[in-house]
Amino acid sequence: QESATNMPGYERFEVGAGYVNARAAVAAAKNFDMNHKTTVNNLRGNEFNANTLVEISEKTFNQTLWATPVDSTETLGLQNSYEFEVHAEALWVQGSADTLANTTKLVLTAPDGTEYFGNLTLPVLGTSMRVGAPAMEGTWSIRVAGLTSLAGVNPDPLG
């Protein structure tokens, strides 16, 4: 801990001692150049106190969402997405669902348009899908998406 280097942009409680600094560790072991301690978060005498109050929301929705080809969902009268509001005090947004025998995943879309993709279900391995993202105030949506890529390659032969 005495020879680790700080991780920029993070507090000590978030990442522990920091990056391994091999040079500083060897220098400390040989009692050579003991100035390595000046860049360390975990110096003796530093004190950290924290307290947080987190309340888990009981808000849930039970909705059937359909995974269908693009633009065909609404014309068939099926719902592919669900919109919901997230308040300013929220920390995390998450969704989960189960599918029967489909290769699908959940996609959360934040108010700023950022999409967060969940795990891809493979019926032989499991049918539960999950997705989560840092909260942002505003209107979010969650939708079901099919297979979008295999190692970055579009699986749809028609494009």
Side-chain angles (χ1 to χ4, degrees):
Q1 288 183 353
E2 288 184 3
S3 61
T5 301
N6 297 344
M7 293 180 73
Y10 294 96
E11 295 294 328
R12 178 177 49 156
F13 71 91
E14 294 177 295
V15 294
Y19 292 115
V20 172
N21 185 332
R23 183 202 176 279
V26 171
K30 292 187 168 199
N31 284 329
F32 175 77
D33 187 17
M34 298 306 285
N35 289 330
H36 66 271
K37 292 182 181 182
T38 59
T39 63
V40 177
N41 284 330
N42 289 339
L43 296 175
R44 294 189 201 284
N46 285 353
E47 191 174 310
F48 172 76
N49 293 306
N51 186 21
T52 184
L53 299 173
V54 177
E55 180 180 323
I56 297 174
S57 173
E58 297 297 325
K59 291 184 181 179
T60 60
F61 73 92
N62 291 317
Q63 194 77 28
T64 299
L65 298 178
W66 297 86
T68 58
V70 177
D71 297 330
S72 67
T73 307
E74 309 325 341
T75 57
L76 295 173
L78 305 174
Q79 184 177 359
N80 179 258
S81 65
Y82 178 80
E83 288 190 347
F84 57 97
E85 294 296 318
V86 173
H87 58 82
E89 293 81 31
L91 300 173
W92 189 254
V93 177
Q94 70 181 31
S96 63
D98 287 310
T99 184
L100 294 176
N102 296 302
T103 303
T104 56
K105 60 184 151 195
L106 292 175
V107 180
L108 272 174
T109 305
D112 67 357
T114 304
E115 290 186 327
Y116 298 91
F117 290 84
N119 64 300
L120 184 66
T121 60
L122 295 171
V124 289
L125 299 176
T127 58
S128 294
M129 35 187 175
R130 310 260 184 276
V131 64
M136 175 187 301
E137 182 179 19
T139 303
W140 285 68
S141 69
I142 189 166
R143 64 182 169 87
V144 179
L147 186 61
T148 54
S149 70
L150 292 170
V153 177
N154 187 346
D156 183 359
L158 300 176

